[in-house]
Structures are given as structure tokens and as C-alpha cells.
Amino acid sequence: MSAPSAPAFLPFTRPSIDEATIADVGAVLRSGWLTTGPRCQALEAALSARFGGRPVRLASSATATLELGLRLAGVGPGDEVVTTALTWVATGNVVLQLGARPVLVDVDPATRNMDLDQVEAAITPRTKALLPVDLAGLPVDRRRLYDIARRHGLRVVEDAAQSMGANWGGEEIGLGGDLVSFSFHANKNMTTAEGGCLVMNSAEEALRFERLRLQGVVRFPDGTADVEEIGGKCNLTDVAAAIGLGQLKQLDGFNQRRIALARRYFDRFPRDLGFTLPPADFGHSNWHMFQPLLPAGVKRADFIARMRELGFGIGVHYPAMHLFTLYRGLGYREGQFPHAEDVGRRTVTLPLFPAMDEHDVDRVCAALPAALA
Ligand SMILES: *Cc1c(COP(=O)(O)O)cnc(C)c1O
């Protein structure tokens, strides 16, 4: 009799692509039309239907949709955009790409999202927009956020890269709000491999987005064209959109699995090790990630290496953005955002993806004491 095989390595995330989706990607590849075409149109229509009929357009990344969203919000050179110090660096970089300044605020340690108590003090006459981030899929308080935006006459570009399917007050993110950007990167709750979409307010915004994502070209009914303003090259392919169509059908099921697995983590997590557990939000979050904070004094690199030896992949999302050289160069410094810095130093992303089962969560929890020893 052979010994039972060791369980396979468990990464911190892995996309679930079903056979019907793979078959449809094959159909696109055989069709002769690979780039932006009928699959992109179908995915935009399906997303628009999900978001109450609001116009939705795709791009090749959420970095692109954020940058174009900021342009639609009128952000340009010399403007300021208020955002969080604890996010993927794309959030700050898109502001810099437009020649504007990312004005960072610390996070609320309870939610790890932008501390809304600090946002008003960060607003100046140069502020054009607020750029909230729903870290780990836990939405920023939309009622308070839009109250601040309205009182100061500011646009909002929601970096909802991680919060597809999450809600605030029972309303799904994307159904309301100003400009809402989702990412379909392979690690997100639904994927197109790479890609993203922007939910907008009007047909005019959607038309301008279409131009900005493809060189700024304006096409006229008589077949002629013009370019009035500079655009990028960030349209999505139909190959990618075929993946997204398959994923969107499964999104709610994926998110239900994620929520169940997060519950299991709370049930089984060894409480005596000194970890700080993530906010236990089972009303709003889509549980994009499960991120405890390491006990003080534990070297993260050692913990990650030890977990790897034990068969588990651990991610880091994210170090505090203002401590990157680029952002220090803007005048940001250590000690300025203590909560973002503390979370950024101690955060670890444990395995959580829809193909896992409860037993996998139990195995991760059981490995934690050995990984700290
Ligand atoms: C993933 C992510 C982005 C960027 O998305 P891409 O599709 O990779 O460009 C931006 N902001 C946050 C918070 C993200 O998690």
C-alpha cells in the first residue's frame, strides 16, 4: 500500500476557470476576431445590467480605468486627489501619471481603510477628487464618504478593484456612487486575466472613455476620423472578455465560497498566537483576502519562508505606499501614517480562493504554530 500523497501546495490565491469558459476562449481564438469586439460588448452589457443600467466600459487593466476615471473627473496637472496610504501602488501612481498629487491619509486600524475622520483636513482648494480604496473587499463607508464629497463639491473615483460583489448598506458597490473602477486581474474575485472596468454616470462619459482608451480617436458616421485629445492604448481583447463572461456568471457563487471560508478561518484560527485578526465583517465584504497581522516581533520573511516549507503560499498586500522611494521623494516620511505603517509591516495574506474547502482552511490554521516556532 502506498502512503497517502502529501497535500498539494496551497497558494494564497488561484483563479477558478471552468471548462465552458475555456471552450469559449477557444471559440474566440478560432473566430478570427481577437481584439475588442462582440465579447467585450457582451461583457459591458452584462456588467451594465448588474449595475442597474449604468454605462460600463472595459479596459486592459484597472490601472487604466482608474487613470481614465480620474481624467473624466477632471483631474490634471497641479490638482490634488485624497487617497489612502495603504493600497496597491497603482492607486497613487495613476494620480502621479496625470501630473496631480496624491494626498495620503492614514487608515482606521479597525477597517484598514482610509480614515474618513482625516479626509476633511486633507482637502484643500486644489483637491479635485476623493479616491477611496476598499481594502480586502471591505467597502469604505459610502454614506460618510459621499457626504464629505457633496459638502466639498468633489468628484469620487472609487478604487473598487477588490470589492466586486461587496455592498454598503445592502447596495452592491457599483450600483451607486460616482465613478467606480473594478479590477479583473487574475488575483481578483473575478478575472479576465488582466483587465478592468469603469462604471460611469452618462452616455457622454462612456463615449469619452471609449475615445481615451484608444488613442483619442473620434469616428464619424461618414467613415472619417479625428483626434481631439490624447488617448492611450488600453482597450480589452475579446479573448479576455470571454474569460470575464464566464467568470461573471460564477461571481456570486465564488463570493459565497469566500465568505464561508473566511467564517471557517474565524472558527478555527488559533487565538493564542498573538495575531491580530482582520475586521470580522460578514455584512459588507466580499472577502477578497483574509489578512491577519503577525504578532509583534515576528519577522515576516521568516514566517513566509516557513509557511512555504509547510506547503502554503503567503502574500503581502500591502506595504504602506508612502514609504516607497517615489513617494518619499514627494515629501512623505516614516512615522507620518502610523496605522498604515503598522498594518503594512505585519500584514500577511493567507490562502483564500473559491476552489478551497474548509479542510484547507483547517490545514492553514494548524500550520501557524509551527510557522512561528
Ligand atoms: C489590483 C488593484 C489595482 C490595479 O488593478 P490592475 O487591474 O492590476 O491594474 C488598483 N488598486 C487596487 C486596490 C488593487 O487591488
Side-chain angles (χ1 to χ4, degrees):
M1 232 175 82
S2 60
S5 58
F9 184 82
L10 196 64
F12 72 80
T13 192
R14 187 167 64 209
S16 294
I17 309 291
D18 65 5
E19 291 303 321
T21 303
I22 293 169
D24 194 41
V25 169
V28 171
L29 294 176
R30 287 186 197 95
S31 75
W33 191 282
L34 303 186
T35 187
T36 312
R39 293 297 191 290
C40 283
Q41 272 187 13
L43 182 54
E44 286 174 342
L47 289 165
S48 176
R50 186 173 179 112
F51 298 127
R54 300 184 69 189
V56 181
R57 293 295 181 273
L58 297 161
S60 55
S61 72
T63 305
T65 56
L66 282 174
E67 186 175 330
L68 296 188
L70 289 169
R71 282 184 73 180
L72 293 183
V75 173
D79 293 333
E80 293 178 353
V81 175
V82 179
T83 191
T84 172
L86 191 68
T87 181
W88 175 229
V89 70
T91 312
N93 284 355
V94 290
V95 178
L96 292 173
Q97 285 285 6
L98 295 175
R101 180 178 175 83
V103 174
L104 308 183
V105 298
D106 203 356
V107 297
D108 174 343
T111 63
R112 305 174 188 173
N113 281 333
M114 182 158 93
D115 183 351
L116 293 173
D117 288 335
Q118 297 186 33
V119 166
E120 299 222 59
I123 294 170
T124 77
R126 282 190 298 276
T127 309
K128 269 279 167 54
L130 305 179
L131 180 49
V133 177
D134 303 325
L135 197 69
L138 175 61
V140 171
D141 181 333
R142 292 296 194 274
R143 200 184 50 78
R144 287 190 62 200
L145 175 77
Y146 279 96
D147 181 53
I148 295 169
R150 260 188 301 274
R151 276 191 283 111
H152 294 270
L154 298 174
R155 297 297 301 265
V156 178
V157 180
E158 299 181 18
D159 183 348
Q162 304 183 3
S163 54
M164 184 93 180
N167 78 89
W168 192 258
E171 182 179 85
E172 182 164 323
I173 300 305
L175 265 170
D178 189 352
L179 298 164
V180 186
S181 167
F182 295 103
S183 173
F184 302 138
H185 177 267
N187 286 357
K188 301 302 192 323
N189 286 29
M190 68 165 268
T191 187
T192 58
E194 299 281 2
C197 75
L198 190 71
V199 186
M200 290 166 281
N201 299 298
S202 65
E204 291 70 35
E205 282 181 347
L207 186 62
R208 182 149 178 247
F209 184 98
E210 288 174 13
R211 294 170 178 173
L212 293 180
R213 76 180 167 189
L214 225 167
Q215 314 290 7
V217 172
V218 185
R219 294 188 188 283
F220 300 108
D222 67 356
T224 62
D226 192 18
V227 178
E228 295 165 356
E229 61 177 334
I230 191 165
K233 180 62 169 71
C234 52
N235 52 309
L236 195 73
T237 69
D238 261 23
V239 180
I243 303 173
L245 283 164
Q247 291 274 292
L248 184 60
K249 290 188 195 123
Q250 300 173 83
L251 175 67
D252 294 329
F254 287 163
N255 285 348
Q256 279 162 25
R257 278 303 300 152
R258 287 176 174 278
I259 290 165
L261 294 165
R263 281 192 194 281
R264 184 73 165 198
Y265 268 116
F266 278 97
D267 286 347
R268 296 302 166 98
F269 204 91
R271 305 291 170 125
D272 53 347
L273 298 177
F275 282 88
T276 304
L277 290 184
D281 185 298
F282 288 95
H284 307 101
S285 179
N286 67 2
W287 285 97
H288 170 59
M289 295 188 282
F290 185 85
Q291 302 177 294
L293 309 183
L294 284 172
V298 173
K299 270 186 72 183
R300 184 162 56 195
D302 294 346
F303 173 80
I304 292 171
R306 190 81 186 98
M307 285 296 279
R308 172 161 284 279
E309 285 166 19
L310 294 168
F312 303 101
I314 303 294
V316 175
H317 309 92
Y318 301 93
M321 184 167 69
H322 66 289
L323 299 182
F324 289 133
T325 301
L326 176 66
Y327 288 81
R328 287 179 190 264
L330 301 173
Y332 291 109
R333 55 188 161 66
E334 196 161 347
Q336 204 170 356
F337 305 121
H339 296 304
E341 290 170 25
D342 180 54
V343 175
R345 286 200 182 93
R346 293 163 61 209
T347 191
V348 285
T349 305
L350 302 191
L352 176 61
F353 53 88
M356 282 171 59
D357 62 22
E358 273 74 359
H359 176 66
D360 292 318
V361 173
D362 298 353
R363 290 199 294 122
V364 177
C365 291
L368 294 173
L372 290 185

